[in-house]
Amino acid sequence: MDKQVTYSGMIWLLAAQLVVMLPFVFHLPFWLLPVVLFAAGWRLWVLAGGAVQPGNMTKLLLVGLGIGGLLLSGLQFPSLEAMSALLLLGFAFKSLEVIRRRDAVVVVFIGYFLVALHFLYTQTMLAGLYGAFSLVVLTGAMIGVQQVVEEFSAAQNVRFNLRLAGVILLQCLPLMVLLFVFAPRLQPLWSLPLMVDQAKTGVSDHMAPGDIEKLSQSDELAFRVTFKGERPPQDQLYWRGLVLNHFDGREWRQFDDAYDLERLKYAAAHEYAFHPENMQVLGDPVEYEAVYEKSGQPWLFTLTPALKVDGEVLQAADYRVMAAQDVQAPLLLKATSYPQSLRDVQLDPYVRQLALQLPTGGNPRSRDLAQRLRAQAGSEQAYIDKVLARFREQQFYYTLHPPTLGESDTIDGFLFTTQRGFCAHYAGSFVFLMRAAGIPARVVAGYQGGEWNAQGKYLTVHQYDAHAWAEVWQAGKGWQRVDPTAMIAPERTEQGLEAAVQAEGSFLENNHFSTRNVAWLKGLRQKLDAVQYGWQRWVLGYDGEAQMGFLQALLGELTLAKVAVLVGGLGGAIVLAWLLLLGLARRGEREALEHQLYRRFCALLAKRGVVREAGYAPGAFALQAAQALPTSAALIREFTQVYEKLCYQPDADGQAAIKRLKALLRALK
Amino acid sequence: MTMAVPQLIHATLAQLNKVILGKEQQVRLALSCLLANGHLLLEDLPGMGKTTLAHALAQVCGLEYKRVQFTSDLLPADLIGASVFEMQSGNFRFHPGPVFSQIFLADELNRATPKAQSALLEAMEEGQVSVDGTTHRLPSPFFVIATQNPQSQAGTFPLPESQLDRFLLRVSLGYPAPAVERELLLGRNGRTLLASLPQVLNGQRLKALQSLVPQVKMTDTLLDYIQRLIAQTRQTDVCQLGLSPRGAQALVKSAQSWALLQGRGHVLPEDVQAVFVAVAGHRIMGRQETQGEQLARHILSKVDVVGNGRG
C-alpha cells in the first residue's frame, strides 16, 4: 500500500483536484483556485527535480497564509462557507505533500466529499452532470495513483483510466438509483448556519422606485408552473406574492413596522390570519403545480385565491401563500385556485384600517384630485373608472426609464409632472388615489404572465415578469383586482414586458449575456428549459412526500415488510447482476472431485500449521507435511500416493481411488 | 538389450557421477537432454568441469567425441569440413570437419562470429550439412554440447533468442560443494578417471532408450499443469518474451525424459518442475531485463500444481 505515486499518477491527482475545485470558484473566495494551481505547479516542479519537497516550516507558513486569507475574505465563522473554504484550502495544499499512495487516496476521498459538498450550493442539472464528470476523473485518478508501471503513452493512459473509471461508476448506477428511490429522507440531525448573507432575488418585501426596474433587467428564472387542466388566459395570470399595505410617502411596505419573518408568521396566525370562510367560492378551479427557484425569501406566487395548498406553507388574510422559511432550494407546491371567487365578503376591521392607511401629510395635489373626482363621481365604481380613465386619457407613458421623482411628494410628481413610469408607479399612485377617497385599496406585488413552453407544456415565469398591481374593496364585490398598468400598456399584461417596451428597446438591455434577445435560440432554449424543469420536478422534487406517494402507488398500503421485500429484492437483483456480469461468480470451472478433495486435504493440514505453497507438487508437499506432522505421516503419504496415482498415472481406477481419498480424509480429521 | 532399462540408466548415472562429483541434478539433466535427442548449452565459468562432463558422457555412452574451441576467426569450413582437390584422382573430395561426430563439444560458442555459429546451429537443427551442393548426413545420434562463459562479454557475439531456442536445455554446473571441493584439493582429478570409465551404453542402446522417451505417459491433469505454466510465461505483465510452442514441446520432451531417468512410465509434476528452469530459463525474458532463470523459478512458485484449469 505504501508505494510511491508515479509521475503520471501525480498528474492524474492534480488534474482531478483542479476539476473538483473549479466549480467552487462561483461560491467561495476565487483565490482558492490560484492556490491549487500554485500547489500543483510546485508539486510538479518538485517531481521534475527543480525544487525540494517543502519542509515543515514552509508548510506551516503556507497554512498560516491560507487561513489568514480566509479570515480576510470576509467569511463568517462559523458558517458552512468558512468550513468549506477551509476544507478546500486543505485540499489544495494537500497535493504538496502527496508522496505515497496512502496520501493520494486521502486526497481522492476528500475529492469525493467535495463533489457532494458542491451540491449544497447548486443543484441544477448542469451541476449534476459536472458532478458525474468529477466522479469519473476522481476515479480515474484513483486508478492512476495505483498504477505502478507506466505501460502506455499518455493519451492511452488517459483513455484507459477514464474508460475504466466510467465502467466502474456505471456499475454503481443501479445501486445509486435504488438508494435514490428508496432510501428514507431523513431530517438533518444538526445544521450549520447556511449561507448567512444570502443574496435575495425576486420581488422584495417593499416597493421603492427602482426595485422592479432592476428586476426587469434580469432573465433569471423565478418559477415554473404546470397546469392540470386548461391554462387560464395570459392576462389573467396574476401571480400574487405579497401585499403592500403601508405607504410612508416614499415607499410601499407590508406593514408599518420593518419586515421580520417571525413577526409575520405570528401575525399570519393571529390578527392577520387567513379566513377561508370569509370567501364565497365561485367559478371553475385552476389546478397547478409550481416549482419555485431558490430566492432567499419566503414568498411563493399563486393565483388568487389559492385554496387546497399542499405542503408546509402559510396563508394570511391577504390571500398570500408563503413558505415557512426562506426558499433556499427549489420548492414544489401544488395548489388549486378559484379566480372568480368573491373575496372578503365582510372586510375585517384590521384589514380595513390597513387598506386605508395614508401618511399624514404630503402629496397635496393628489389628495385634492381624489377629493374632486370622488365628489364628481356618484359611486365608488364610477370613481374607480374615472381614475383609470384619467390614466388612459392623459399623456401617461409606460417606460422602464422613468425620470427620478425626488424624495417627497412622489405621487404628485408622477401624476402631474413626469407621467412616465411602470407598474410600480401606476399601482402605487392608483392605490393612493383610492385611499385618499376613502376606498380600501392595496398594492399587490408578484409576477404577471409568463412564457409558455410549448415543448414541455408548462409556463416559465422570469424575474422580468415581476409586476405590481392594485386591489380595491367594495361592499358586495369584495376585493377586486385593478391593474392600472393595463390601461396605459395593455400589451404588458397580454404579451409580456418584451412587447410593452419594444419601442423603447429597453428589454434586458443591460443584460448583455442574455441569449433571450437572440430569436433563433428560442426553440433550443425552451427545449433545454423543459429538460431542466423535468430534472427539478422528478429529481430535486423527489422528497420524502413524493417518495411516500410513489411507494404507495407502487405497493398500495405501505408496510415495512413490503418495502423490505421490494428493496431487498431489487438489491439482490443488482448484486446478482454484478456477480454474473463481472464474472465474480464464475471463479473458475468446478474442479474435478479429486482436486477438491486434495484442496480439502491441504486445508486440513494448513489448520495444523503446514501450508502448501502453490508451486509445491503433491509429492514434495507430502514429504514436508509428513516431517512436520509425524503422527499423521502415514495417512499423509497414503493420501498423496493415491492422489498422485489418480492424477498422473494413466488407467488408474478412479472410483476406488476417490473412495479411498474420502476415507483417508475422514481419518485425517 | 542385455540389461533392463532401469539398471542401464542407473549404471550410466553412477558412472557419470563418479567423474562429476556432487552434481547429480546437472548430470541427470545432461543425460535427459541426450535421451530427449536435444542439444545442451552449458553456461558456466571456465574450469567448472564442462569439458569433463561432455567427455564423460561420450565415454559412458560409447560415442565418438570431438571438441572445437570457438574463436572469432573460426570459419564455417573449420567446423563442417571442405571439399579438397585431390591430385591423384583429379577430383574434389569432401573432408568432413569435426562436426561429423556423435558428441560435439563447442567450447565458448559465443566467441565465434555469427557466421560460424549459424553453420553449427544449422547442423544441429537439420542433422545434416550441405557443402558445394552435396548434402552430408551427420552421424546419429548427434549431440552438441555448447559452452558459454556468461561473464566476460567483451569480444563475444551473444546468441540471439532464435538460436538459443535450438538448445533443449541450458544448464549451469555451478561451484562444487565444500566436501567435493576438498576432494578436488586433495588431488582427485576427474579427467584421469575418464580413461578408466567403462562404457555402459552404445549407439544402439542409446537409440533404444531415446525411443522410450515419447512413450512416457502424461495425463490430462499433468498437461493442464504444463499449460498453466506456459500461460504464465505469456502473461504480458510478467514476461516480455513467453515460451514458444517449440519451447513448450521442449518442456514436455524433457519432462518425459526426466521421468524415464527416474524409472517411471508417467510424468509427475516434479519432473516438469525439475526441467522447467533448464528449459525456460534461456527462452523467456522478464519485463525489467530479469534473468530468465530467476523468472522461471518465480513462475514455478506461483503456478498452482493442483487443479485442472489451463491458465
Side-chain angles (χ1 to χ4, degrees):
Chain A
M1 191 63 195
D2 256 347
K3 302 260 170 63
Q4 296 217 340
V5 179
T6 57
Y7 190 74
S8 75
M10 199 62 222
I11 299 223
W12 263 107
L13 200 63
L14 294 174
Q17 275 187 296
L18 211 59
V19 166
V20 169
M21 288 191 70
L22 204 57
F24 283 96
V25 171
F26 301 114
H27 310 285
L28 293 175
F30 67 93
W31 53 263
L32 284 169
L33 196 68
V35 165
V36 73
L37 286 176
F38 162 76
W42 191 340
R43 184 77 192 105
L44 289 182
W45 186 239
V46 170
L47 277 179
V52 288
Q53 192 65 26
N56 282 339
M57 279 313 285
T58 322
K59 286 186 202 160
L60 211 60
L61 189 70
L62 282 174
V63 170
L65 277 177
I67 291 178
L70 286 184
L71 287 173
L72 290 178
S73 295
L75 289 171
Q76 220 172 359
F77 282 89
S79 69
L80 190 79
E81 257 101 351
M83 293 305 144
S84 328
L86 201 62
L87 186 60
L88 278 170
L89 186 72
F91 187 61
F93 280 146
K94 182 70 188 168
S95 64
L96 271 182
E97 54 169 21
V98 170
I99 295 171
R100 279 172 307 185
R101 207 179 278 172
R102 197 178 51 190
D103 305 317
V105 170
V106 168
V107 171
V108 172
F109 281 175
I110 298 175
Y112 284 131
F113 182 76
L114 285 174
V115 170
L117 187 69
H118 184 243
F119 289 119
L120 285 183
Y121 293 94
T122 171
Q123 301 180 350
T124 61
M125 202 170 52
L126 203 64
L129 288 176
Y130 191 84
F133 170 69
S134 308
L135 280 189
V136 172
V137 177
L138 269 172
T139 310
M142 179 77 114
I143 298 164
V145 297
Q146 308 282 349
Q147 282 160 338
V148 187
V149 207
E150 292 179 26
E151 299 260 320
F152 309 108
S153 73
Q156 273 177 317
N157 182 273
V158 168
R159 226 174 315 138
F160 176 83
N161 287 9
L162 285 185
R163 221 177 62 190
L164 185 56
V167 168
I168 290 174
L169 291 174
L170 274 183
Q171 285 161 6
C172 304
L173 205 62
L175 191 65
M176 189 197 91
V177 172
L178 185 76
L179 288 177
F180 174 77
V181 175
F182 292 106
R185 303 301 198 259
L186 299 174
Q187 295 298 316
L189 297 175
W190 55 274
S191 59
L192 265 178
L194 177 71
M195 297 152 232
V196 225
D197 205 18
Q198 267 297 307
K200 298 187 182 198
T201 54
V203 174
S204 67
D205 61 296
H206 57 85
M207 186 174 83
D211 279 349
I212 288 188
E213 184 188 3
K214 247 183 272 160
L215 274 185
S216 70
Q217 288 299 339
S218 157
D219 66 348
E220 259 182 65
L221 186 71
F223 57 97
R224 298 188 180 94
V225 189
T226 320
F227 294 100
K228 269 263 167 70
E230 194 83 342
R231 170 165 64 114
Q234 192 76 6
D235 58 1
Q236 294 301 313
L237 294 176
Y238 280 85
W239 301 102
R240 170 183 297 249
L242 57 160
V243 167
L244 306 175
N245 287 308
H246 186 86
F247 184 57
D248 66 357
R250 188 177 166 275
E251 62 171 25
W252 289 87
R253 286 205 309 267
Q254 303 192 67
F255 301 98
D256 55 353
D257 47 0
Y259 160 66
D260 175 70
L261 182 56
E262 293 310 316
R263 240 335 258 114
L264 188 57
K265 273 156 95 172
Y266 179 82
H270 297 87
E271 72 271 20
Y272 205 55
F274 179 47
H275 292 292
E277 69 281 358
N278 196 10
M279 197 174 100
Q280 201 178 328
V281 177
L282 296 169
D284 295 329
V286 180
E287 261 185 87
Y288 53 94
E289 232 180 85
V291 179
Y292 301 95
E293 289 295 305
K294 170 180 131 181
S295 65
Q297 306 195 84
W299 325 126
L300 303 180
F301 304 89
T302 54
L303 296 175
T304 313
L307 288 174
K308 292 190 211 157
V309 183
D310 272 11
E312 267 185 81
V313 292
L314 306 172
Q315 288 185 276
D318 56 14
Y319 297 93
R320 75 168 76 195
V321 177
M322 57 185 272
Q325 295 101 32
D326 291 347
V327 179
Q328 299 294 10
L331 186 145
L332 179 107
L333 184 79
K334 287 177 198 163
T336 310
S337 297
Y338 293 82
Q340 281 133 45
S341 303
L342 180 65
R343 291 180 284 138
D344 283 14
V345 182
Q346 301 294 322
L347 190 57
D348 178 75
Y350 175 59
V351 177
R352 174 186 290 272
Q353 177 211 325
L354 286 173
L356 285 172
Q357 173 273 342
L358 275 183
T360 43
N363 297 308
R365 292 180 71 188
S366 304
R367 286 173 201 258
D368 181 49
L369 175 75
Q371 298 303 331
R372 254 188 307 126
L373 287 180
R374 181 68 186 90
Q376 284 169 20
S379 66
E380 287 186 341
Q381 186 58 47
Y383 171 67
I384 295 168
D385 291 342
K386 247 184 188 337
V387 171
L388 289 176
R390 201 187 117 86
F391 278 127
R392 195 166 48 236
E393 285 151 16
Q394 294 214 358
Q395 294 282 306
F396 281 96
Y397 290 101
Y398 187 82
T399 173
L400 287 180
H401 297 306
T404 46
L405 287 167
E407 284 298 308
S408 59
D409 295 346
T410 49
I411 304 287
D412 277 3
F414 172 67
L415 283 178
F416 300 103
T417 317
T418 67
Q419 299 195 332
R420 290 160 175 274
F422 46 87
C423 55
H425 300 88
Y426 292 104
S429 51
F430 177 80
V431 170
F432 186 91
L433 289 177
M434 290 301 123
R435 287 185 179 180
I439 303 174
R442 59 197 183 191
V443 174
V444 186
Y447 296 88
Q448 198 279 319
E451 182 184 9
W452 182 248
N453 187 320
Q455 302 272 356
K457 304 239 178 315
Y458 61 89
L459 190 82
T460 47
V461 179
H462 296 92
Q463 296 302 354
Y464 58 70
D465 291 318
H467 193 53
W469 60 94
E471 262 183 350
V472 291
W473 188 88
Q474 287 169 275
K477 290 183 177 175
W479 286 105
Q480 279 193 310
R481 181 180 69 226
V482 180
D483 189 357
T485 313
M487 297 296 125
I488 294 94
E491 60 277 12
R492 168 67 186 85
T493 51
E494 279 155 21
Q495 294 162 48
L497 181 69
E498 190 171 4
V501 296
Q502 198 166 32
E504 192 178 60
S506 55
F507 181 65
L508 297 178
E509 58 182 345
N510 298 332
N511 197 335
H512 302 294
F513 295 108
S514 172
T515 54
R516 208 151 272 278
N517 288 326
V518 186
W520 57 270
L521 274 177
K522 192 173 171 190
L524 184 68
R525 201 183 58 230
Q526 287 209 342
K527 233 175 240 172
L528 272 180
D529 194 74
V531 175
Q532 282 264 11
Y533 184 42
W535 168 262
Q536 278 206 332
R537 273 180 80 189
W538 305 119
V539 180
L540 303 184
Y542 189 79
D543 54 7
E545 228 171 291
Q547 188 179 41
M548 285 303 254
F550 174 73
L551 286 181
Q552 271 165 359
L554 201 68
L555 299 174
E557 203 190 329
L558 283 185
T559 60
L560 191 65
K562 272 188 194 170
V563 177
V565 166
L566 181 68
V567 174
L570 288 173
I574 291 173
V575 171
L576 201 67
W578 280 346
L579 289 181
L580 290 178
L581 294 178
L582 302 181
L584 297 179
R586 218 187 317 128
R587 203 188 152 72
E589 316 139 36
R590 268 178 76 78
E591 282 191 320
L593 188 56
E594 64 265 25
H595 299 313
Q596 291 181 30
L597 289 173
Y598 187 74
R599 290 202 193 280
R600 259 189 263 163
F601 164 77
C602 291
L604 268 179
L605 293 187
K607 254 190 242 163
R608 293 163 68 172
V610 190
V611 182
R612 187 181 78 93
E613 305 288 332
Y616 258 64
F621 178 59
L623 282 181
Q624 182 200 349
Q627 204 163 28
L629 306 167
T631 46
S632 312
L635 282 172
I636 292 171
R637 264 189 228 111
E638 192 184 349
F639 187 95
T640 308
Q641 271 167 14
V642 176
Y643 173 71
E644 263 190 344
K645 203 172 159 197
L646 182 59
C647 284
Y648 303 112
Q649 209 162 314
D651 49 73
D653 180 2
Q655 292 295 328
I658 295 256
K659 247 190 215 164
R660 184 78 195 122
L661 283 181
K662 283 182 178 166
L664 284 168
L665 211 52
R666 270 196 299 278
L668 258 174
K669 276 178 196 169
Chain B
M1 211 178 286
T2 51
M3 263 203 253
V5 174
Q7 282 88 338
L8 205 57
I9 289 167
H10 185 79
T12 312
L13 285 172
Q15 293 307 325
L16 285 173
N17 283 329
K18 251 196 253 167
V19 183
I20 314 289
L21 280 179
K23 295 285 171 198
E24 281 87 1
Q25 195 78 359
Q26 283 85 339
V27 167
R28 236 174 235 272
L29 276 173
L31 189 60
S32 61
C33 187
L34 180 61
L35 290 191
N37 215 351
H39 304 290
L40 182 67
L41 180 63
L42 282 175
E43 201 173 81
D44 230 323
L45 300 171
M48 304 290 265
K50 293 185 296 260
T51 317
T52 312
L53 174 61
H55 218 140
L57 262 178
Q59 181 80 16
V60 171
C61 297
L63 299 176
E64 186 202 348
Y65 164 82
K66 272 179 196 154
R67 166 187 170 167
V68 171
Q69 180 73 38
F70 276 45
T71 56
S72 57
D73 54 358
L74 188 81
L75 293 175
D78 298 335
L79 287 175
I80 58 181
S83 294
V84 178
F85 185 72
E86 286 194 334
M87 290 293 227
Q88 297 94 324
S89 59
N91 278 337
F92 281 96
R93 207 172 71 83
F94 179 64
H95 285 250
V99 82
F100 286 83
S101 60
Q102 288 176 307
I103 289 191
F104 178 71
L105 178 63
D107 234 344
E108 302 210 64
L109 177 64
N110 55 343
R111 294 228 165 266
T113 56
K115 200 173 175 181
Q117 287 175 359
S118 56
L120 174 66
L121 292 161
E122 187 208 338
M124 284 164 61
E125 191 62 18
E126 312 286 332
Q128 61 188 29
V129 290
S130 302
V131 180
D132 298 334
T134 329
T135 302
H136 306 273
R137 285 218 61 82
L138 292 171
S140 175
F142 175 60
F143 183 52
V144 173
I145 301 177
T147 71
Q148 263 200 133
N149 182 350
Q151 286 305 315
S152 65
Q153 291 293 316
T156 64
F157 301 92
L159 293 177
E161 282 79 20
S162 61
Q163 301 199 343
L164 279 175
D165 201 25
R166 305 274 162 87
F167 290 97
L168 187 72
L169 299 182
R170 183 180 72 175
V171 177
S172 299
L173 286 175
Y175 295 114
V180 177
E181 187 111 62
R182 174 68 64 97
E183 273 196 58
L184 292 179
L185 294 180
L186 286 173
R188 185 178 189 282
N189 190 348
R191 293 259 182 130
T192 53
L193 286 171
L194 273 178
S196 62
L197 214 55
Q199 177 184 339
V200 183
L201 298 175
N202 53 30
Q204 196 195 347
R205 280 179 175 176
L206 185 64
K207 264 196 182 158
L209 281 181
Q210 282 180 340
S211 70
L212 285 178
V213 169
Q215 294 173 27
V216 176
K217 300 269 190 334
M218 288 177 293
T219 59
D220 283 341
T221 310
L222 183 95
L223 288 171
D224 282 344
Y225 174 53
I226 290 180
Q227 278 192 290
R228 279 200 297 276
L229 283 173
I230 296 166
Q232 187 69 25
T233 69
R234 293 172 188 168
Q235 289 262 303
T236 47
D237 59 336
V238 181
C239 298
Q240 196 174 4
L241 213 63
L243 210 55
S244 64
R246 179 159 56 186
Q249 283 172 335
L251 178 60
V252 167
K253 232 198 290 181
S254 329
Q256 283 174 314
S257 178
W258 182 273
L260 183 69
L261 285 191
Q262 303 293 97
R264 243 184 289 105
H266 60 271
V267 182
L268 284 184
E270 281 93 334
D271 304 328
V272 179
Q273 293 184 336
V275 298
F276 185 72
V277 176
V279 172
H282 60 293
R283 287 182 164 98
I284 62 179
M285 198 190 285
R287 277 240 150 255
Q288 280 107 9
E289 296 289 308
T290 339
Q291 292 286 309
E293 243 172 76
Q294 232 174 305
L295 188 61
R297 276 201 193 93
H298 172 75
I299 289 171
L300 270 188
S301 71
K302 274 276 134 88
V303 173
D304 197 350
V305 179
V306 175
N308 46 4
R310 286 182 190 174

